[in-house]
């Protein structure tokens, strides 16, 4: 059991920010990653559709014989995680609760801004998760639908991205939030640009880093960690266009990806 892989899925390439952190946190663990590139983006889809995609993605990964499922996509975590936990008999870790917990731990003025896709904002999962820990915190949710395509089109440091970030952060600044939660897989890649647009004292919490810490905690708690080391491997599967995934993925991971297989739901 311990040598089985951790399964991670995302709507596409964005979840590699979570994979990167998990590999840092747990270098001895094997990982199977599934990017649902045929059906990306999830952020503009309806709740029912996202939930169905989550179940199909989980079944695909379970067939790869995994010991734990990580839902790297914020939108998928928002709509699918409860259903996945009810349906499948392995630990399921998402990105919402770890991110919310970390943001609550750092805010001092109790004003947290959450940047996410439209669907994640509409689900209100982040405010609910934050309020379940501390109901007195004010949460300002901001949908940033143009940031994902900007990042995927390599325009993260284009002046247009800076303008967009400025626009999206306007309300956040007006409300003087001291903590920004990056509630989307892609936004860690704009960390520096977002930081530049804010007062230096503002904390930035990213749900990819906090999720990887939770994955480690759960593995250790359940005694599921790989104790044999050295045999760790990472395999990538997508539902469409493996070459595009490889190219963009290498940029996200900052390391070469040798093989991406076209499999699963397409
Ligand atoms: N992975 C999605 C998320 O974290 C962003 C991309 C999409 O809309 O599918 O919400």
């Amino acid at each position: 059991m311990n040598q089985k892989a951790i399964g991670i899925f995302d709507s596409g390439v964005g979840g590699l920010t979570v994979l990167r952190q998990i590999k840092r946190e747990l270098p001895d663990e094997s990982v199977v990653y599934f990017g649902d590139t045929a059906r990306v983006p999830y952020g503009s889809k309806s709740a029912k559709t996202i939930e169905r995609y989550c179940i199909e993605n989980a079944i695909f990964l379970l067939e790869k014989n995994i010991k734990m499922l990580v839902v790297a996509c914020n939108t998928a975590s928002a709509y699918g995680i409860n259903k996945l936990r009810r349906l499948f008999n392995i630990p399921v870790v998402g990105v919402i609760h770890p991110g919310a917990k970390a943001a609550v731990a750092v805010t001092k003025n109790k004003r947290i801004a959450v940047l996410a896709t439209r669907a994640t904002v509409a689900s209100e999962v982040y405010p609910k998760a934050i309020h379940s820990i501390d109901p007195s915190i004010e949460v300002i949710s901001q949908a940033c639908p143009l940031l994902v395509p900007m990042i995927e089109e390599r325009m993260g440091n284009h002046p247009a991205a800076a303008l967009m970030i400025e626009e999206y952060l306007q309300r956040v600044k007006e409300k003087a939030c001291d903590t920004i939660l990056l509630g989307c897989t892609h936004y860690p890649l704009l960390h520096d640009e977002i930081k530049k647009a804010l007062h230096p004292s503002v904390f930035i919490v990213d749900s990819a880093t906090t999720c990887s810490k939770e994955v480690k905690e759960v593995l250790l708690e359940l005694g599921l960690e790989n104790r044999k080391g050295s045999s760790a491997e990472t395999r990538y599967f997508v539902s469409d266009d493996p070459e595009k995934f490889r190219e963009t993925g290498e940029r996200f991971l900052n390391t070469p990806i040798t093989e991406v297989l076209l499999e699963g739901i397409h």
Side-chain angles (χ1 to χ4, degrees), residues 2-3 28-29 225-232:
N2 293 52
Q3 276 165 274
D28 294 337
E29 295 298 329
E225 73 280 15
N226 181 15
R227 301 187 189 109
K228 290 233 160 105
S230 68
S231 58

Side-chain angles (χ1 to χ4, degrees), residues 21 28 45 47 82 84 117 128 181 214 233 246 253:
Q21 294 303 335
D28 294 337
K45 304 269 183 334
N82 293 333
L84 295 178
T117 63
K128 282 181 197 149
L181 176 47
E214 175 114 341
E233 55 169 9
R246 203 183 55 74
L253 287 177

Side-chain angles (χ1 to χ4, degrees), residues 10-11 14-15 40-44 72-76 117 120 148 183-186:
D10 176 53
S11 54
V40 71
Y42 285 12
S44 52
C73 178
N74 287 255
T75 310
T117 63
T120 302
V148 166
C184 173
T185 46
H186 290 60

Side-chain angles (χ1 to χ4, degrees), residues 47-151:
K48 269 275 153 255
T49 300
I50 298 164
E51 191 184 272
R52 175 165 59 84
Y53 290 175
C54 286
I55 296 168
E56 290 168 356
N57 299 344
I59 291 171
F60 173 77
L61 284 170
L62 281 161
E63 283 167 359
K64 302 282 174 218
N65 204 17
I66 54 170
K67 62 182 173 186
M68 175 191 261
L69 179 64
V70 179
V71 183
C73 178
N74 287 255
T75 310
S77 290
Y79 289 97
I81 201 119
N82 293 333
K83 187 83 173 190
L84 295 178
R85 287 194 174 126
R86 277 199 299 274
L87 287 178
F88 304 110
N89 203 13
I90 57 167
V92 181
V93 175
V95 278
I96 309 291
H97 274 271
K101 227 172 28 183
V104 171
V106 295
T107 182
K108 291 200 168 67
N109 74 0
K110 293 191 180 242
R111 281 203 283 269
I112 298 175
V114 178
L115 310 185
T117 63
R118 273 194 208 291
T120 302
V121 168
S123 75
E124 295 184 357
V125 278
Y126 272 113
K128 282 181 197 149
I130 291 168
H131 290 147
S132 73
I133 310 169
D134 183 344
S136 70
I137 290 177
E138 191 179 348
V139 183
I140 286 85
S141 301
Q142 177 66 52
C144 310
L146 295 172
L147 295 187
V148 166
M150 278 296 227
I151 295 162

